[in-house]
């Protein structure tokens, strides 16, 4: 029996939302806030590679950002990632 595309899309969206929430919660030590400025609006929180190797570790183009969340969820290495809001994440890139 073949699942309908609408049902598959709904399950995928739910899985990705739960994954992103789990990863942001873990890497923010449960605070759900930006490590730099304290921003707490979930839609603007990002996962940042603390040692600057994000470009090298970025998934192959076309695989989507959730591959990074999957890898971070498996690794569970707080020395490698931190949670920043999008503004602080971009400023961290700019200041390098």
């Amino acid at each position: 029996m073949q699942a309908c595309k609408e049902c598959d899309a709904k399950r995928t969206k739910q899985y990705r939302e739960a994954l992103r929430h789990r990863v942001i919660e873990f890497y923010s030590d449960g605070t759900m806030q930006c490590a730099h400025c304290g921003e707490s609006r979930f839609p603007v929180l990002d996962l940042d590679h603390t040692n600057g190797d994000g470009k090298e570790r970025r998934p192959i183009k076309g695989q989507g950002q959730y591959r990074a969340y999957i890898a971070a969820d498996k690794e569970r290495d707080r020395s490698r990632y931190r949670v920043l809001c999008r503004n602080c994440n971009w400023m961290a890139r700019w200041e390098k």
Side-chain angles (χ1 to χ4, degrees), residues 18-64:
L19 171 67
R20 185 168 180 274
H21 188 277
R22 183 171 62 244
V23 169
I24 297 294
E25 183 175 34
F26 178 80
Y27 286 101
S28 70
D29 291 324
T31 66
M32 303 295 281
Q33 293 181 341
C34 173
H36 184 73
C37 74
E39 171 66 67
S40 61
R41 290 177 291 171
F42 184 71
V44 300
L45 297 177
D46 282 333
L47 194 60
D48 177 56
H49 294 79
T50 56
N51 55 2
D53 65 348
K55 186 174 182 179
E56 293 81 28
R57 295 177 51 84
R58 190 169 293 130
I60 297 168
K61 188 173 181 170
Q63 288 187 339

Side-chain angles (χ1 to χ4, degrees), residues 62-91:
Q63 288 187 339
Q65 71 176 352
Y66 282 92
R67 298 282 185 209
Y69 282 97
I70 291 168
D73 193 36
K74 288 179 182 176
E75 290 174 21
R76 298 279 188 177
D77 183 359
R78 286 193 173 109
S79 69
R80 174 163 241 139
Y81 303 98
R82 65 182 172 174
V83 174
L84 295 178
C85 70
R86 296 211 170 121
N87 283 339
C88 290
N89 200 357
W90 277 100
M91 287 308 296

